[in-house]
Amino acid sequence: MSGTHTGVPSVLAHELPRPVPIDELEACPVGELFRRLGDKWSMLLLILLGGRPHRYNELHRAIEGISQRMLTRTLRALETDGLVRREVHPTVPPGVEYSLTPLGRTLLEPVSALADWAVRHEADIREARFRHAGV
């Protein structure tokens, strides 16, 4: 960031065009990442895999309510994005283990910062929702 933008959050450092073109919005890497992390299971899987590698069935047992189909789809999407690595071990039956890639590991710090913010401001958000509902 340049010296003229010191202290300005990076999301505010550049002005957006008005109106924001829909094709730019859909192609935005930030929005794309938020859509991936904002689905029901991706964030949880990243956090679990951030602790240590897991086998498929271990992940399935660790997440109440996720179907095998959805677990497979979510792991494949995270693998496609380069965040998760799938390793097949030559055993009988073949063992499959999932872990974070180095790229996936770099995501843990900003995700942790966002999670810390959410916990720190949970009461503020709840209060704002309550006030808004009373209007």
Side-chain angles (χ1 to χ4, degrees), residues 16-128:
L16 294 173
R18 306 286 171 110
V20 177
I22 192 71
D23 58 332
E24 280 190 35
L25 181 63
E26 290 174 357
C28 175
V30 176
E32 202 171 314
L33 177 66
F34 281 175
R35 283 188 291 278
R36 165 70 62 231
L37 296 180
D39 73 23
K40 189 170 183 176
W41 307 110
S42 291
M43 184 82 76
L44 182 56
L45 283 167
L46 288 172
I47 292 167
L48 287 171
L49 294 173
R52 65 177 175 78
H54 285 71
R55 290 182 167 279
Y56 179 89
N57 284 329
E58 190 178 18
L59 285 170
H60 191 245
R61 286 190 303 269
I63 304 172
E64 188 175 314
I66 192 169
S67 67
Q68 288 186 345
R69 180 175 184 265
M70 188 52 67
L71 177 58
T72 299
R73 287 180 64 181
T74 306
L75 286 167
R76 282 186 185 152
L78 292 168
E79 185 180 9
T80 298
D81 288 347
L83 303 173
V84 167
R85 187 176 127 221
R86 178 181 187 268
E87 184 176 1
V88 179
H89 298 285
T91 59
V92 179
V96 178
E97 188 174 72
Y98 293 88
S99 60
L100 289 185
T101 63
L103 178 62
R105 289 215 158 275
T106 67
L107 189 55
L108 292 176
E109 186 176 339
V111 163
S112 293
L114 189 58
D116 293 344
W117 181 92
V119 169
R120 199 168 44 251
H121 295 286
E122 178 184 16
D124 301 324
I125 294 168
R126 189 176 25 252
E127 182 181 320

